[in-house]
Amino acid sequence: MLTILAAVCVFGVLVLAHELGHFITAKMTGMRVDEFAIGFGPKIISRKFGETVYSLRIIPLGGFNDIAGMNPEENTAGNRGYCQKSIPARLLVISAGSLMNFILPIFLFFGIFFFHGETVVGTEPIVGSVAAEKPAALAGIAKGDRIIAVDGKAVDTWKGLVENIKSHGNEPITVTYERNGAEDTAVITPYYDEKLQRSLIGITGKTVTKEHGFFDAAALSIEHTAKIMQGMLKELSRILGQPSDADLAGPIGVAQMAGQFAEQGLIPLVTFAAFLSLNLGIINLFPIPALDGGHVVALLVEGVRGKPMSQKTLAITQNIGVALLVLLMIFATKNDIVRIFTGN
């Protein structure tokens, strides 16, 4: 039940932000929006305010804005139809969904940093956690141990410990640590992590909570969001270069992860929602027909040609895009099912 509730909340917030981006900019540019919907399928509830119907539907895996004139042949809104607006106006409306998914994490991280504080690794060389089956764990290192020396060289800070281990490569090291007031030693052989490109022994530092004021939290949330996006784009380029290494998760997998983070508490769940929002924003800008990025490409082509693509061509490209997305969804769902039955 917790997994379902967490997934519905996370998906709901992300979809609401995305569709609000389209909705607000459509209204700003004078377009007529006939319906603003969260979810798909039969309506649970709907109310009409002004010219727009606002509805909540039964399947919480998306949403839509019914903007008049998306199909020029069916435009009933005159110069308020989407098709009658300038290319810059239409580009704004199409890209605003992803833009909102980039903005949402800034607010989520701000809430975390301002009200809860920032969780950072402390400066002291104290072990916060030990990865199972890694060299440190196999050598007997435990949570709470204070590392005081590596190969006889004193260690005063966590950063110094990391640099010391890194400098030894994969050579065995003698770690001196303190536990309950008593000193002991362990011989540990680091392993090389390809992703981080440095030697590790399988430990993380003890974390502390650092409080921030309003402006510090605001600046930090923007910086944190930018760093995560940079990391995502770097990982995306790696996956595109090596598609066989891609480990995609579908709706089932994402729902499971939402449940797991919810079990850890509100802060991990909000952080997960921020990551997922950035992911959704990036993916939606892929130049694939049926995604926002595909519409952006079509508008750019229209700008170069001086006239829109024919409805027949658009329909063909849209069908191809939908087919690709369905295949991708099937592949991702297959991965989800395999994980469920194998436990990986």
Side-chain angles (χ1 to χ4, degrees), residues 122 146 149 156 162 259 283 331:
R146 174 185 287 272
D156 300 318
V162 172
I283 290 175
F331 177 72

Side-chain angles (χ1 to χ4, degrees), residues 192-198 200 231 234-235 238:
Y192 188 76
D193 187 284
E194 292 289 345
K195 189 173 182 179
L196 296 177
Q197 297 186 342
R198 63 184 176 89
L200 305 173
K234 183 178 180 181
E235 180 65 13
R238 185 192 68 80

Side-chain angles (χ1 to χ4, degrees), residues 61 248-252 323-336:
L61 295 178
L248 300 175
I252 298 174
L324 289 173
L325 291 176
V326 169
L327 288 174
L328 185 63
M329 186 65 69
I330 292 173
F331 177 72
T333 303
K334 184 268 294 180
N335 286 349
D336 293 341

Side-chain angles (χ1 to χ4, degrees), residues 115-133:
F115 294 105
H116 178 265
E118 180 188 11
T119 301
V120 298
V121 176
T123 57
E124 296 183 285
I126 300 175
V127 178
S129 65
V130 184
E133 304 301 320

Side-chain angles (χ1 to χ4, degrees), residues 295-314:
H295 288 287
V296 168
V297 171
L299 286 171
L300 293 177
V301 170
E302 179 180 339
V304 172
R305 296 176 70 232
K307 60 180 181 179
M309 298 168 62
S310 69
Q311 287 302 302
K312 182 178 180 181
T313 301
L314 284 173

Side-chain angles (χ1 to χ4, degrees), residues 5 67 81 117 119 141 163 206 213 234 259 268 271 288 297 301 320:
L5 289 175
I67 302 175
T119 301
I141 300 296
E163 292 299 323
K206 182 180 179 181
K234 183 178 180 181
T271 301
I288 298 175
V297 171
V301 170
I320 293 173

